[in-house]
Short mmCIF file of all heavy atoms in Angstrom, two decimals:
data_model
loop_
_atom_site.label_atom_id
_atom_site.label_comp_id
_atom_site.label_asym_id
_atom_site.label_seq_id
_atom_site.Cartn_x
_atom_site.Cartn_y
_atom_site.Cartn_z
N VAL A 1046 -63.63 -149.56 53.58
CA VAL A 1046 -63.15 -148.21 53.90
C VAL A 1046 -62.03 -147.87 52.92
O VAL A 1046 -60.92 -148.39 53.01
CB VAL A 1046 -62.64 -148.14 55.36
CG1 VAL A 1046 -62.11 -146.76 55.65
CG2 VAL A 1046 -63.75 -148.50 56.31
N TYR A 1047 -62.36 -147.03 51.93
CA TYR A 1047 -61.38 -146.62 50.94
C TYR A 1047 -60.90 -145.19 51.15
O TYR A 1047 -59.80 -144.83 50.76
CB TYR A 1047 -61.98 -146.76 49.53
CG TYR A 1047 -62.41 -148.17 49.21
CD1 TYR A 1047 -63.77 -148.51 49.17
CD2 TYR A 1047 -61.48 -149.17 48.96
CE1 TYR A 1047 -64.18 -149.80 48.88
CE2 TYR A 1047 -61.89 -150.46 48.67
CZ TYR A 1047 -63.23 -150.78 48.63
OH TYR A 1047 -63.63 -152.06 48.34
N THR A 1048 -61.71 -144.39 51.76
CA THR A 1048 -61.34 -143.00 51.99
C THR A 1048 -61.68 -142.63 53.42
O THR A 1048 -62.35 -143.39 54.15
CB THR A 1048 -62.09 -142.07 51.03
OG1 THR A 1048 -63.49 -142.18 51.27
CG2 THR A 1048 -61.81 -142.43 49.57
N VAL A 1049 -61.18 -141.42 53.79
CA VAL A 1049 -61.52 -140.92 55.14
C VAL A 1049 -63.02 -140.67 55.24
O VAL A 1049 -63.64 -140.89 56.29
CB VAL A 1049 -60.70 -139.64 55.42
CG1 VAL A 1049 -61.10 -139.05 56.78
CG2 VAL A 1049 -59.22 -139.93 55.40
N ALA A 1050 -63.65 -140.24 54.15
CA ALA A 1050 -65.09 -140.00 54.17
C ALA A 1050 -65.86 -141.30 54.42
O ALA A 1050 -66.86 -141.32 55.15
CB ALA A 1050 -65.52 -139.37 52.86
N ASP A 1051 -65.38 -142.40 53.81
CA ASP A 1051 -66.05 -143.68 54.06
C ASP A 1051 -65.94 -144.10 55.51
O ASP A 1051 -66.87 -144.66 56.10
CB ASP A 1051 -65.46 -144.77 53.16
CG ASP A 1051 -65.80 -144.54 51.69
OD1 ASP A 1051 -66.78 -143.80 51.43
OD2 ASP A 1051 -65.10 -145.08 50.83
N PHE A 1052 -64.76 -143.81 56.07
CA PHE A 1052 -64.57 -144.16 57.48
C PHE A 1052 -65.49 -143.34 58.38
O PHE A 1052 -66.03 -143.84 59.36
CB PHE A 1052 -63.10 -143.95 57.87
CG PHE A 1052 -62.83 -144.31 59.31
CD1 PHE A 1052 -62.66 -145.63 59.69
CD2 PHE A 1052 -62.76 -143.32 60.29
CE1 PHE A 1052 -62.41 -145.96 61.02
CE2 PHE A 1052 -62.51 -143.65 61.61
CZ PHE A 1052 -62.33 -144.97 61.97
N LYS A 1053 -65.66 -142.05 58.04
CA LYS A 1053 -66.54 -141.21 58.83
C LYS A 1053 -68.00 -141.63 58.68
O LYS A 1053 -68.81 -141.48 59.59
CB LYS A 1053 -66.38 -139.75 58.43
CG LYS A 1053 -65.01 -139.17 58.83
CD LYS A 1053 -64.91 -137.71 58.43
CE LYS A 1053 -63.57 -137.12 58.87
NZ LYS A 1053 -63.44 -135.68 58.48
N ASN A 1054 -68.38 -142.13 57.52
CA ASN A 1054 -69.76 -142.60 57.32
C ASN A 1054 -70.05 -143.91 58.04
O ASN A 1054 -71.19 -144.35 58.11
CB ASN A 1054 -70.04 -142.77 55.83
CG ASN A 1054 -70.13 -141.43 55.11
OD1 ASN A 1054 -70.46 -140.42 55.72
ND2 ASN A 1054 -69.78 -141.43 53.84
N ARG A 1055 -68.99 -144.54 58.50
CA ARG A 1055 -69.12 -145.75 59.33
C ARG A 1055 -69.94 -146.83 58.62
O ARG A 1055 -71.11 -147.07 58.91
CB ARG A 1055 -69.79 -145.42 60.68
CG ARG A 1055 -68.93 -144.50 61.54
CD ARG A 1055 -69.54 -144.36 62.91
NE ARG A 1055 -68.71 -143.52 63.75
CZ ARG A 1055 -68.96 -143.23 65.02
NH1 ARG A 1055 -70.04 -143.74 65.58
NH2 ARG A 1055 -68.15 -142.46 65.71
N GLN A 1056 -69.31 -147.48 57.71
CA GLN A 1056 -69.92 -148.61 57.03
C GLN A 1056 -69.88 -149.82 57.97
O GLN A 1056 -68.80 -150.35 58.25
CB GLN A 1056 -69.19 -148.90 55.72
CG GLN A 1056 -69.22 -147.76 54.73
CD GLN A 1056 -70.63 -147.49 54.23
OE1 GLN A 1056 -71.42 -148.42 54.10
NE2 GLN A 1056 -70.94 -146.22 53.95
N PHE A 1057 -71.03 -150.19 58.48
CA PHE A 1057 -71.10 -151.25 59.48
C PHE A 1057 -71.63 -152.55 58.87
O PHE A 1057 -72.33 -152.54 57.86
CB PHE A 1057 -72.04 -150.86 60.63
CG PHE A 1057 -71.50 -149.77 61.51
CD1 PHE A 1057 -72.10 -148.52 61.56
CD2 PHE A 1057 -70.38 -149.98 62.30
CE1 PHE A 1057 -71.62 -147.53 62.38
CE2 PHE A 1057 -69.89 -149.00 63.13
CZ PHE A 1057 -70.50 -147.75 63.16
N GLN A 1058 -71.28 -153.61 59.54
CA GLN A 1058 -71.99 -154.88 59.42
C GLN A 1058 -72.69 -155.13 60.75
O GLN A 1058 -72.18 -154.76 61.81
CB GLN A 1058 -71.03 -156.02 59.09
CG GLN A 1058 -70.55 -156.01 57.66
CD GLN A 1058 -69.90 -157.32 57.28
OE1 GLN A 1058 -69.66 -158.16 58.13
NE2 GLN A 1058 -69.61 -157.49 56.01
N TYR A 1059 -73.87 -155.72 60.67
CA TYR A 1059 -74.70 -155.86 61.87
C TYR A 1059 -74.87 -157.33 62.20
O TYR A 1059 -74.99 -158.18 61.32
CB TYR A 1059 -76.07 -155.21 61.65
CG TYR A 1059 -75.99 -153.72 61.39
CD1 TYR A 1059 -75.84 -153.23 60.09
CD2 TYR A 1059 -76.05 -152.82 62.45
CE1 TYR A 1059 -75.78 -151.87 59.86
CE2 TYR A 1059 -75.98 -151.45 62.21
CZ TYR A 1059 -75.84 -150.99 60.92
OH TYR A 1059 -75.77 -149.64 60.69
N MET A 1060 -74.88 -157.58 63.51
CA MET A 1060 -75.03 -158.95 64.00
C MET A 1060 -76.16 -158.98 65.04
O MET A 1060 -76.30 -158.06 65.85
CB MET A 1060 -73.73 -159.45 64.62
CG MET A 1060 -73.78 -160.93 65.04
SD MET A 1060 -72.15 -161.54 65.54
CE MET A 1060 -71.87 -160.52 66.98
N MET A 1061 -76.95 -160.00 65.00
CA MET A 1061 -78.11 -160.14 65.89
C MET A 1061 -77.65 -160.50 67.30
O MET A 1061 -76.80 -161.38 67.50
CB MET A 1061 -79.03 -161.24 65.34
CG MET A 1061 -80.44 -161.20 65.85
SD MET A 1061 -81.42 -162.46 64.97
CE MET A 1061 -83.04 -162.06 65.59
N SER A 1062 -78.21 -159.82 68.33
CA SER A 1062 -77.86 -160.14 69.71
C SER A 1062 -78.56 -161.42 70.14
O SER A 1062 -79.54 -161.86 69.54
CB SER A 1062 -78.25 -158.99 70.64
OG SER A 1062 -79.65 -158.82 70.65
N GLN A 1063 -78.04 -162.02 71.22
CA GLN A 1063 -78.60 -163.29 71.68
C GLN A 1063 -80.04 -163.12 72.20
O GLN A 1063 -80.91 -163.97 71.96
CB GLN A 1063 -77.71 -163.87 72.79
CG GLN A 1063 -78.10 -165.26 73.25
CD GLN A 1063 -77.94 -166.29 72.14
OE1 GLN A 1063 -77.09 -166.16 71.28
NE2 GLN A 1063 -78.79 -167.31 72.16
N ILE A 1064 -80.31 -162.01 72.88
CA ILE A 1064 -81.66 -161.78 73.38
C ILE A 1064 -82.64 -161.60 72.23
O ILE A 1064 -83.75 -162.13 72.23
CB ILE A 1064 -81.67 -160.56 74.33
CG1 ILE A 1064 -80.80 -160.83 75.55
CG2 ILE A 1064 -83.09 -160.20 74.74
CD1 ILE A 1064 -80.73 -159.67 76.52
N ALA A 1065 -82.23 -160.83 71.22
CA ALA A 1065 -83.09 -160.64 70.05
C ALA A 1065 -83.34 -161.95 69.32
O ALA A 1065 -84.43 -162.17 68.77
CB ALA A 1065 -82.46 -159.62 69.11
N LEU A 1066 -82.34 -162.83 69.31
CA LEU A 1066 -82.52 -164.13 68.67
C LEU A 1066 -83.60 -164.94 69.38
O LEU A 1066 -84.47 -165.56 68.73
CB LEU A 1066 -81.19 -164.88 68.68
CG LEU A 1066 -81.18 -166.27 68.04
CD1 LEU A 1066 -81.45 -166.17 66.54
CD2 LEU A 1066 -79.85 -166.96 68.29
N GLU A 1067 -83.59 -164.92 70.71
CA GLU A 1067 -84.60 -165.65 71.46
C GLU A 1067 -85.99 -165.03 71.28
O GLU A 1067 -87.00 -165.74 71.19
CB GLU A 1067 -84.23 -165.68 72.95
CG GLU A 1067 -82.97 -166.45 73.27
CD GLU A 1067 -83.09 -167.92 72.91
OE1 GLU A 1067 -84.22 -168.46 72.95
OE2 GLU A 1067 -82.06 -168.55 72.60
N ILE A 1068 -86.05 -163.70 71.21
CA ILE A 1068 -87.34 -163.03 71.02
C ILE A 1068 -87.91 -163.37 69.65
O ILE A 1068 -89.11 -163.66 69.50
CB ILE A 1068 -87.17 -161.51 71.18
CG1 ILE A 1068 -86.81 -161.18 72.63
CG2 ILE A 1068 -88.44 -160.77 70.76
CD1 ILE A 1068 -86.48 -159.72 72.86
N GLU A 1069 -87.10 -163.37 68.62
CA GLU A 1069 -87.58 -163.69 67.29
C GLU A 1069 -87.98 -165.16 67.20
O GLU A 1069 -88.96 -165.51 66.52
CB GLU A 1069 -86.50 -163.38 66.26
CG GLU A 1069 -86.99 -163.35 64.83
CD GLU A 1069 -88.03 -162.27 64.59
OE1 GLU A 1069 -88.03 -161.26 65.33
OE2 GLU A 1069 -88.85 -162.44 63.67
N ARG A 1070 -87.25 -166.01 67.89
CA ARG A 1070 -87.64 -167.42 67.94
C ARG A 1070 -89.00 -167.58 68.62
O ARG A 1070 -89.83 -168.41 68.23
CB ARG A 1070 -86.57 -168.24 68.66
CG ARG A 1070 -86.82 -169.75 68.65
CD ARG A 1070 -85.72 -170.51 69.35
NE ARG A 1070 -84.48 -170.49 68.58
CZ ARG A 1070 -83.35 -169.94 69.00
NH1 ARG A 1070 -83.29 -169.36 70.19
NH2 ARG A 1070 -82.26 -169.97 68.24
N MET A 1071 -89.24 -166.76 69.64
CA MET A 1071 -90.53 -166.80 70.33
C MET A 1071 -91.66 -166.34 69.41
O MET A 1071 -92.75 -166.93 69.40
CB MET A 1071 -90.48 -165.91 71.57
CG MET A 1071 -91.79 -165.82 72.33
SD MET A 1071 -91.84 -164.45 73.50
CE MET A 1071 -91.86 -163.06 72.37
N THR A 1072 -91.42 -165.30 68.60
CA THR A 1072 -92.46 -164.83 67.68
C THR A 1072 -92.82 -165.90 66.65
O THR A 1072 -93.99 -166.05 66.29
CB THR A 1072 -92.00 -163.55 66.98
OG1 THR A 1072 -90.80 -163.82 66.23
CG2 THR A 1072 -91.74 -162.44 67.98
N ILE A 1073 -91.84 -166.64 66.18
CA ILE A 1073 -92.13 -167.73 65.23
C ILE A 1073 -92.95 -168.81 65.91
O ILE A 1073 -93.87 -169.39 65.32
CB ILE A 1073 -90.81 -168.28 64.65
CG1 ILE A 1073 -90.11 -167.21 63.81
CG2 ILE A 1073 -91.06 -169.53 63.84
CD1 ILE A 1073 -88.79 -167.64 63.24
N THR A 1074 -92.64 -169.09 67.18
CA THR A 1074 -93.43 -170.08 67.92
C THR A 1074 -94.86 -169.63 68.07
O THR A 1074 -95.81 -170.41 67.91
CB THR A 1074 -92.80 -170.31 69.30
OG1 THR A 1074 -91.44 -170.74 69.15
CG2 THR A 1074 -93.57 -171.37 70.08
N LEU A 1075 -95.07 -168.33 68.35
CA LEU A 1075 -96.43 -167.81 68.49
C LEU A 1075 -97.18 -167.84 67.15
O LEU A 1075 -98.38 -168.09 67.11
CB LEU A 1075 -96.39 -166.37 69.03
CG LEU A 1075 -95.84 -166.21 70.45
CD1 LEU A 1075 -95.79 -164.74 70.83
CD2 LEU A 1075 -96.70 -166.97 71.45
N GLU A 1076 -96.47 -167.56 66.06
CA GLU A 1076 -97.13 -167.58 64.76
C GLU A 1076 -97.59 -168.97 64.36
O GLU A 1076 -98.62 -169.13 63.70
CB GLU A 1076 -96.16 -167.04 63.69
CG GLU A 1076 -95.85 -165.55 63.84
CD GLU A 1076 -94.70 -165.13 62.94
OE1 GLU A 1076 -94.19 -165.99 62.20
OE2 GLU A 1076 -94.30 -163.96 63.00
N ASN A 1077 -96.85 -169.98 64.77
CA ASN A 1077 -97.18 -171.35 64.39
C ASN A 1077 -97.94 -172.09 65.48
O ASN A 1077 -98.10 -173.32 65.40
CB ASN A 1077 -95.90 -172.13 64.04
CG ASN A 1077 -95.16 -171.51 62.88
OD1 ASN A 1077 -95.78 -170.99 61.95
ND2 ASN A 1077 -93.84 -171.54 62.92
N LEU A 1078 -98.38 -171.35 66.51
CA LEU A 1078 -99.02 -172.03 67.63
C LEU A 1078 -100.32 -172.70 67.22
O LEU A 1078 -100.64 -173.80 67.66
CB LEU A 1078 -99.28 -171.01 68.75
CG LEU A 1078 -99.69 -171.57 70.11
CD1 LEU A 1078 -98.60 -172.47 70.66
CD2 LEU A 1078 -99.99 -170.45 71.08
#
């Protein structure tokens, strides 16, 4: 965030939720079944 415009554009970093982690782990299990 260098300017007010950058702050308004909301430069985010994203983190995976725990439920999504388990769902993605399940999809890998199904792919390799």
Side-chain angles (χ1 to χ4, degrees):
V1046 178
Y1047 300 107
T1048 62
V1049 176
D1051 292 339
F1052 181 80
K1053 291 181 179 180
N1054 289 334
R1055 295 187 178 182
Q1056 299 295 326
F1057 289 113
Q1058 285 194 351
Y1059 297 89
M1060 185 171 64
M1061 199 174 187
S1062 64
Q1063 187 64 31
I1064 297 179
L1066 181 66
E1067 295 297 331
I1068 294 174
E1069 194 62 26
R1070 185 179 289 117
M1071 177 195 68
T1072 60
I1073 295 178
T1074 302
L1075 295 177
E1076 292 169 2
N1077 299 325
L1078 192 61

